[in-house]
Amino acid sequence: MHLPLNALRDRHVTTWSREQLAAGRGRPTVHRCCTILSSAMNAAVSTDLPASNPARNAALKRPAAPERRCWTPQQASAFLHHNAETYNDVHADFL
């Protein structure tokens, strides 16, 4: 779909986002694309091309970050040993 910049509306951004998610794109990727579009639209608004930013209200909410797991001391040690033996890693003296 091709639209002039001043014809772009929030419904277009919302529809595009839903289509991308339905096509299997990841939520973080679609969120980043909408964030970039919103930033570009803010710049366009500042030059009076469109009157407002249609991506501002249509952007997806930021996805929750996955839970992070820390390595145990044993896992960290195994990683450093592996790198020392396999890659002659300079950080091996952390062992």
Side-chain angles (χ1 to χ4, degrees):
M1 167 175 53
H2 296 283
L3 289 172
L5 190 59
N6 58 0
L8 186 64
R9 300 288 179 260
D10 61 347
R11 69 179 180 272
H12 299 118
V13 178
T14 300
T15 299
W16 178 86
S17 297
R18 289 181 182 152
E19 289 171 352
Q20 294 303 304
L21 292 170
R25 299 259 193 278
R27 191 168 181 81
T29 300
V30 176
H31 176 264
R32 276 188 227 104
C33 290
C34 288
T35 300
I36 292 167
L37 174 62
S38 183
S39 178
M41 292 302 297
N42 279 336
V45 167
S46 72
T47 62
D48 295 327
L49 290 175
S52 64
N53 180 352
R56 178 180 298 140
N57 297 323
L60 293 174
K61 300 293 182 214
R62 183 180 203 154
E67 182 180 344
R68 296 180 186 195
R69 296 183 345 203
C70 293
W71 284 347
T72 65
Q74 294 80 13
Q75 289 171 320
S77 177
F79 172 79
L80 291 172
H81 278 289
H82 169 77
N83 282 357
E85 294 169 5
T86 306
Y87 305 110
N88 196 22
D89 191 347
V90 296
H91 299 293
D93 32 334
F94 289 154
L95 299 173

